[in-house]
Amino acid sequence: MTTARTEPTGSPSDPGSAPGSASGSAPGSDSALRERAAAALTAARARTAGLTDAVTDEDLTAQHSPLMSPLVWDLAHIGNQEELWLLRRVAGRESMRPEINPLYDAFEHPRAERPKLPLLGPDEARRYAAEVRGRVFDLLEKTPLEGSTLLDDGFAFGMIAQHEQQHDETMLITHQLRRGVPVLTAPEPDAPYDPPGAAEVLVPGGPFTMGTSAEPWSLDNERPAHVRDTAAFWIDTVPVTNAAYLAFIADGGYRDPRWWAPAGWEQIREHSIEAPLFWHREAGQWLRRRFGVVEPVPEEEPVLHVSWYEADAYARWAGRRLPTETEWEKAARHDPATGRSTRYPWGDADPTPAHANLGQRHLRPARAGSYPAGASPLGVRQLIGDVWEWTSSDFLPYPGFRAFPYKEYSQVFFGPEHKVLRGGSFAVDPVACRGTFRNWDLPVRRQIFSGFRTARDV
């Protein structure tokens, strides 16, 4: 994905967005599986409508940042990918609009070039996506959900629901980059708040099962399940807060090359970076812009919109380090009492509003220390939702990896160029978020909803 992954933090064909999983721990009856797929598709389309109906046609067709596509491109791309995988690949039908297929190929046209393409206009894009969806619901009623890897457990339908939600996160990033009056609203987080007593948690050493071979809608980079061994380590109980990050700024963190990887130091010097993206200082106070609203930086929230380089520099300054991806997943999924790896930190049950800040219910992270019901068996908080968390790890395949359903989803991004993020943010829907879900992006990326927590050796 990166995005939502920012185009690899998401889409089956995008080099930048973030992927996800099926709701439900195991496939149920055929009718229940169809209902689950239909509900996931419907929820994604409702969110897409909210993000695209909230702005004018001029805003839909404008490119608000060269890092992102025009919103109208995402809208038609969602429909085009749905047609490609469900109507053409699963059902074997002819292309509905063969002339537009190249326009919505994320690998053929970089984001900066997409505004120059003869894209479908807003009304036409909506009609096209709606027509595809109508045919897909007819297909879902009649197609056996077994007999091939694409159909087993309704995988293709789940993949498309995840793809749309990943692009919804991408479009929410575009809304954050957009200038002008606020157009999105959401209630403030009202999650249970119970500040943890300890700043860090000890995760015992030993083996645990990483990844999955059983989650029905998991994506190729999450597979297969395999055993990893770790030494004991300490990890932050909650993500690093704005208050903690402000101390790094106040101590001259952005002016001291000791804390920075060479490429990161070059980046902040070249672009005169002195704080997280969307922050500025005015009358002696740090302010941030959040979906068109300018407000004081809330000290109790997890820090947001920082690059991997910024996260790494803070960790060095604090005398700590970023956790590896393996450490992050062990802290999130391993239950020392049973030796099992669970689907989520709190167990195998699907997320609820009591567990995590997901699905764009709010337009910000909740305070660090919220969602005690979502804690891991060891007491680590907010591992799912609120902010994507940078890890120290490069994005690499698991042993036994097999590209599916196409190598451009994950395989072409493997290597040291991309760093792994875990856990999801407030912008991620539960269908595209789980304990095994892997996001990745370039270490310079700041527009994504990224934060971090730190770790240290025992």
Side-chain angles (χ1 to χ4, degrees):
M1 166 180 167
T2 267
T3 188
R5 227 175 325 215
T6 329
E7 224 169 51
T9 211
S11 73
S13 74
D14 266 11
S17 216
S21 125
S23 172
S25 57
S29 67
D30 187 74
S31 61
L33 190 55
R34 292 179 201 278
E35 289 174 9
R36 187 158 72 243
L41 291 167
T42 299
R45 186 54 46 89
R47 185 179 177 194
T48 299
L51 289 164
T52 54
D53 292 349
V55 294
T56 64
D57 284 1
E58 183 181 4
D59 268 337
L60 281 175
T61 56
Q63 186 172 43
H64 298 282
S65 165
L67 295 171
M68 310 304 290
S69 309
L71 291 168
V72 75
W73 185 92
D74 287 282
L75 177 58
H77 171 79
I78 286 167
N80 192 247
Q81 289 295 290
E82 188 166 338
E83 182 199 348
L84 168 63
W85 287 103
L86 298 181
L87 299 183
R88 289 155 59 192
R89 296 286 176 86
V90 170
R93 300 177 188 175
E94 294 294 318
S95 175
M96 292 168 56
R97 308 244 344 227
E99 76 281 2
I100 72 169
N101 294 335
L103 304 178
Y104 298 101
D105 185 328
F107 282 89
E108 188 164 330
H109 301 289
R111 287 174 172 177
E113 296 179 6
R114 292 171 190 172
K116 303 171 187 174
L117 301 173
L119 303 175
L120 300 182
D123 288 341
E124 193 175 6
R126 289 187 180 99
R127 285 194 297 270
Y128 169 63
E131 183 177 358
V132 171
R133 177 55 56 86
R135 298 184 185 191
V136 162
F137 276 142
D138 182 63
L139 180 71
L140 179 59
E141 288 181 7
K142 302 172 181 176
T143 302
L145 300 183
E146 59 183 1
S148 73
T149 315
L150 264 181
L151 286 173
D152 287 347
D153 300 323
F155 173 82
F157 295 94
M159 179 184 74
I160 288 302
Q162 292 179 77
H163 173 255
E164 182 162 355
Q165 287 285 5
Q166 290 160 359
H167 272 274
D168 289 340
E169 183 179 5
T170 300
M171 289 193 285
L172 191 63
I173 292 170
T174 302
H175 272 273
Q176 169 64 11
L177 289 161
R178 169 188 169 273
R179 295 283 183 171
V181 297
V183 295
L184 298 178
T185 59
E188 295 297 297
D190 57 355
Y193 178 65
D194 179 22
E200 59 182 355
V201 170
L202 177 64
V203 180
F208 83 106
T209 300
M210 187 170 182
T212 179
S213 297
E215 187 75 27
W217 290 356
S218 60
L219 303 166
D220 61 0
N221 61 66
E222 300 171 68
R223 293 175 172 264
H226 58 288
V227 175
R228 294 278 181 99
D229 207 334
T230 70
F233 62 96
W234 293 90
I235 192 167
D236 290 341
T237 309
V238 298
V240 170
T241 63
N242 287 323
Y245 202 84
L246 282 164
F248 169 65
I249 296 173
D251 196 44
Y254 280 89
R255 300 188 301 274
D256 192 334
R258 286 181 299 164
W259 315 127
W260 296 84
W265 182 245
E266 181 180 346
Q267 189 77 10
I268 67 162
R269 295 296 89 197
E270 180 181 350
H271 298 282
S272 300
I273 296 170
E274 60 179 7
L277 188 61
F278 307 116
W279 287 28
H280 71 278
R281 193 165 175 81
E282 187 176 306
Q285 183 181 30
W286 282 104
L287 305 175
R288 73 174 181 186
R289 179 169 58 84
R290 182 179 59 84
F291 299 107
V293 175
V294 176
E295 60 191 9
V297 170
E299 294 194 355
E300 292 180 318
E301 281 186 15
V303 67
L304 190 62
H305 296 301
V306 290
S307 69
W308 183 89
Y309 290 125
E310 289 169 292
D312 179 63
Y314 172 93
R316 293 170 191 259
W317 169 82
R320 298 171 68 83
R321 58 177 175 80
L322 295 179
T324 67
E325 181 183 15
T326 301
E327 289 172 335
W328 188 97
E329 187 166 325
K330 185 171 187 179
R333 298 185 62 218
H334 180 62
D335 183 349
T338 65
R340 289 186 60 237
S341 289
T342 56
R343 295 178 70 219
Y344 298 99
W346 55 86
D348 295 328
D350 290 341
T352 71
H355 290 121
N357 181 6
L358 293 166
Q360 201 184 313
R361 286 196 315 273
H362 314 294
L363 289 171
R364 65 195 306 160
R367 292 183 293 175
S370 298
Y371 304 103
S376 74
L378 292 170
V380 189
R381 302 276 191 89
Q382 290 167 285
L383 287 156
I384 298 291
D386 286 308
V387 295
W388 284 108
E389 297 186 14
W390 288 110
T391 72
S392 64
S393 299
D394 298 335
F395 183 48
L396 298 172
Y398 289 161
F401 168 83
R402 181 175 67 88
F404 175 80
Y406 54 93
K407 66 180 182 180
E408 289 82 6
Y409 184 76
S410 301
Q411 186 172 325
V412 298
F413 299 104
F414 290 145
E417 296 83 7
H418 295 92
K419 295 294 185 181
V420 174
L421 302 102
R422 299 298 297 263
S425 71
F426 66 88
V428 177
D429 188 81
V431 77
C433 186
R434 51 195 161 269
T436 57
F437 189 87
R438 306 174 75 196
N439 190 7
W440 65 94
D441 217 325
L442 299 171
V444 298
R445 288 287 187 251
R446 309 171 81 220
Q447 81 274 18
I448 59 178
F449 300 112
S450 52
F452 63 101
R453 72 182 71 218
T454 67
R456 67 180 175 93
D457 298 335
V458 173

